[in-house]
Amino acid sequence: MSSNASEGAIPTVDIGAILSPTATEEDRRQVVEAVRHASTTYGFFNLVGHGIPRAQLHQIFESSKLFFALPEEKRKEVHIGKALGRAFRGWEPPLIQQHQEGVLPDTKETFIIGREVSADHPDAGTFLTGPNLWPDLPKGDFEDVILAYQARMVELARIIVRVLVQGLPEAWGCAPDVLDGLTVEPAIPMRMLHYGPVKEKDPRQFGVAAHTDFSTITILLQQPGTEGLQVWYPPTEDWIPVPVAEDGFVINIGDLMQQYTAGYYRSARHRVVTFSEEDKHRYSVAFFLDGNLRFKTKPLDGSGTEIAVGEYVYSCLNRTLGARGPSL
Ligand SMILES: O=C(O)CCC(=O)C(=O)O
Ligand SMILES: [Fe+2]
């Protein structure tokens, strides 16, 4: 069921009926319809009814705060430059990613985790693939919390992809499992994000400047009580806020899903604005389902040419990290 949007506000969708063994077909159909509506109109929605306990959402922020409170020398020990080969893991300091010409690099600071692939695996060190880097923090307070959260995100992402496929036009005749190959050994970069105050506000600078996600879908957890995420809404040509839903996740459609669906689902531009209050901080956790890096498909309406996950994400990352990032 959905509690639907007033015009120009990000909708909230309760996916409880998809997970409940006792829900009726009609209840499930309504969830599919609410997700379809949100994804074609906004490319964004808040998702509740996911069944992930509040304590687990709280814990991930506690782990995040532990990491970003470490002294810089400690964060440097897991700098992205230290990841194996092109695995792209670890601490990305502020001012690395730049989304377009004419804006300054993002003020965000992030810790990047991916699917754990051991160093002796034949693919280890290839693009986005390899072992994670773990900082000098108690395993039970950090690594275990993050990997448990990551496992939940993979499960949830599989469910959402299935719901999105069910919402596609019937005329396309898509099998419900048509995109399941994406979620087999997927590339799943997860960014724990920290936004600190900026000394001087500059109109060219953002926490994260306007961009679309490269991913198939993104599952974002916003810290309760904070604001700053905005999405571009073409009908009113305006940036609209993405409010924090209690115990909810923000789901957004990424570029890959937009391409798979020939633009039916929208990969919407969004950004995070800065603030200058000295003691203010904002934390968020963005889980990107890029997908299996070897997965390829044509758009599901039968048009166009094949889209390859690995090649697409590589071109986007390379463009936005430039010489400031690790060599990928
Ligand atoms: O921190 C947020 O709320 C959004 C971050 C974001 O858009 C991203 O990392 O792609
Ligand atoms: Fe984003």
Side-chain angles (χ1 to χ4, degrees):
M1 269 297 295
S2 74
S3 61
N4 217 337
S6 55
E7 184 60 21
I10 301 298
T12 296
V13 179
D14 184 333
I15 58 152
I18 299 289
L19 306 174
S20 159
T22 56
T24 64
E25 269 315 302
E26 176 53 21
D27 292 341
R28 295 203 180 106
R29 203 197 55 74
Q30 284 190 26
V31 176
V32 169
E33 175 49 28
V35 168
R36 190 199 64 77
H37 176 259
S39 304
T40 52
T41 312
Y42 300 93
F44 265 73
F45 56 98
N46 269 311
L47 177 140
V48 297
H50 46 73
I52 302 175
R54 177 179 291 182
Q56 196 164 5
L57 309 185
H58 181 75
Q59 261 181 334
I60 193 83
F61 285 123
E62 293 305 304
S63 301
S64 194
K65 288 176 191 166
L66 283 179
F67 178 76
F68 291 113
L70 286 173
E72 188 166 327
E73 321 83 81
K74 287 281 174 194
R75 280 174 288 159
K76 271 192 181 149
E77 287 174 9
V78 289
H79 186 276
I80 40 174
K82 299 203 167 162
L84 179 67
R86 303 156 65 211
F88 196 40
R89 307 294 161 94
W91 178 53
E92 185 190 276
L95 309 180
I96 298 287
Q97 205 168 20
Q98 183 180 22
H99 292 281
Q100 324 126 29
E101 291 295 318
V103 293
L104 298 172
D106 297 345
T107 65
K108 66 167 188 250
E109 171 187 21
T110 100
F111 181 69
I112 304 166
I113 307 102
R115 189 165 56 85
E116 188 67 55
V117 174
S118 66
D120 58 7
H121 187 285
D123 290 342
T126 61
F127 181 57
L128 296 189
T129 310
N132 287 306
L133 298 181
W134 297 111
D136 186 11
L137 284 168
K139 185 168 175 288
D141 294 338
F142 197 73
E143 181 178 338
D144 293 351
V145 172
I146 291 171
L147 292 182
Y149 181 88
Q150 183 193 58
R152 290 281 198 164
M153 291 300 101
V154 173
E155 277 170 31
L156 185 58
R158 285 200 171 111
I159 293 165
I160 297 166
V161 167
R162 281 257 179 158
V163 170
L164 286 164
V165 167
Q166 287 174 69
L168 292 174
E170 250 175 65
W172 296 5
C174 295
D177 63 354
V178 68
L179 293 180
D180 282 10
L182 274 171
T183 59
V184 178
E185 301 191 336
I188 41 170
M190 181 164 106
R191 285 175 171 262
M192 293 167 79
L193 291 141
H194 169 229
Y195 303 87
V198 293
K199 289 221 165 54
E200 264 171 67
K201 279 205 161 237
D202 182 319
R204 294 167 306 160
Q205 190 150 52
F206 295 85
V208 182
H211 67 286
T212 55
D213 289 351
F214 323 142
S215 57
T216 293
I217 56 165
T218 304
I219 307 179
L220 174 80
L221 183 64
Q222 304 197 77
Q223 186 190 13
T226 64
E227 53 183 28
L229 175 62
Q230 302 176 335
V231 59
W232 180 249
Y233 184 57
T236 54
E237 301 219 318
D238 216 353
W239 290 102
I240 56 176
V242 183
V244 185
E246 201 180 349
D247 299 333
F249 293 102
V250 177
I251 308 299
N252 66 285
I253 301 296
D255 298 346
L256 283 166
M257 182 61 89
Q258 175 170 289
Q259 293 175 64
Y260 296 145
T261 63
Y264 188 70
Y265 292 141
R266 281 191 55 213
S267 177
R269 281 203 305 152
H270 54 286
R271 66 183 188 184
V272 179
V273 297
T274 56
F275 49 85
S276 47
E277 292 89 331
E278 262 177 36
D279 54 356
K280 204 166 144 182
H281 291 263
R282 176 176 182 264
Y283 298 86
S284 63
V285 183
F287 171 91
F288 301 95
L289 172 71
D290 288 349
N292 183 301
L293 293 166
R294 297 187 176 102
F295 184 84
K296 284 186 186 166
T297 181
K298 279 182 144 197
L300 298 172
D301 67 345
S303 69
T305 51
E306 272 192 340
I307 309 124
V309 171
E311 282 163 34
Y312 183 71
V313 176
Y314 175 75
S315 71
C316 294
L317 262 184
N318 233 7
R319 169 174 52 79
T320 56
L321 296 174
R324 297 167 306 277
S327 81
L328 292 173

